[in-house]
Amino acid sequence: GGRMYKFPAVTLSVLNRYRSSAFGRQGCCKVFFGVDLSSGINGQGSKLIHPSSPFIKLVNTISVIVLIYILLVVQVEIGFFWMEPACNALPTHAFEMVVDVWFSAEIVLGFVTGI
């Protein structure tokens, strides 16, 4: 087995102090993701991301921008490059692979986002 690295107590106290000063008592999870680990049945809070959290709003904003990109670029590709051989990569293919990964990650994110 490998050795586990343990953070010094000083580092943990600095992180806790930063967390409490930056986000108050709510913490990062509550502010950014809308996850409240302290409430709920028997003190076990939800681990789902709140649908109105700033994180989900950011994800939705990026998705709208990417959808507008798809709306504009794919039609140009189909209209002007439909005769190109399949082996010739268009300059937009690298970014379109990033777009595919983005939407795949958004599907996975949908499983950990509350209703």
Side-chain angles (χ1 to χ4, degrees), residues 8-105:
V10 175
T11 306
L12 293 176
S13 67
V14 169
L15 289 174
N16 287 334
R17 191 173 337 128
Y18 173 74
R19 190 187 94 196
S20 64
S21 66
F23 300 106
R25 291 182 162 208
Q26 296 177 351
C28 173
C29 288
K30 175 72 173 157
V31 173
F32 192 61
F33 296 110
V35 176
D36 191 5
L37 300 173
S38 62
S39 66
I41 301 172
N42 297 329
Q44 296 176 347
S46 173
K47 292 178 178 68
L48 295 176
I49 299 172
H50 195 278
S52 298
S53 69
F55 177 71
I56 295 298
K57 289 179 182 178
L58 176 67
V59 168
N60 289 340
T61 302
I62 293 172
S63 295
V64 167
I65 292 169
V66 171
L67 282 172
I68 291 171
Y69 166 81
I70 291 171
L71 175 76
L72 298 173
V73 172
V74 169
Q75 294 194 26
V76 172
E77 287 179 353
I78 292 172
F80 293 108
F81 298 108
W82 65 278
M83 291 292 289
E84 290 288 322
C87 295
N88 291 349
L90 298 176
T92 59
H93 279 198
F95 184 71
E96 288 172 2
M97 288 177 20
V98 172
V99 168
D100 291 340
V101 170
W102 174 261
F103 285 121
S104 298

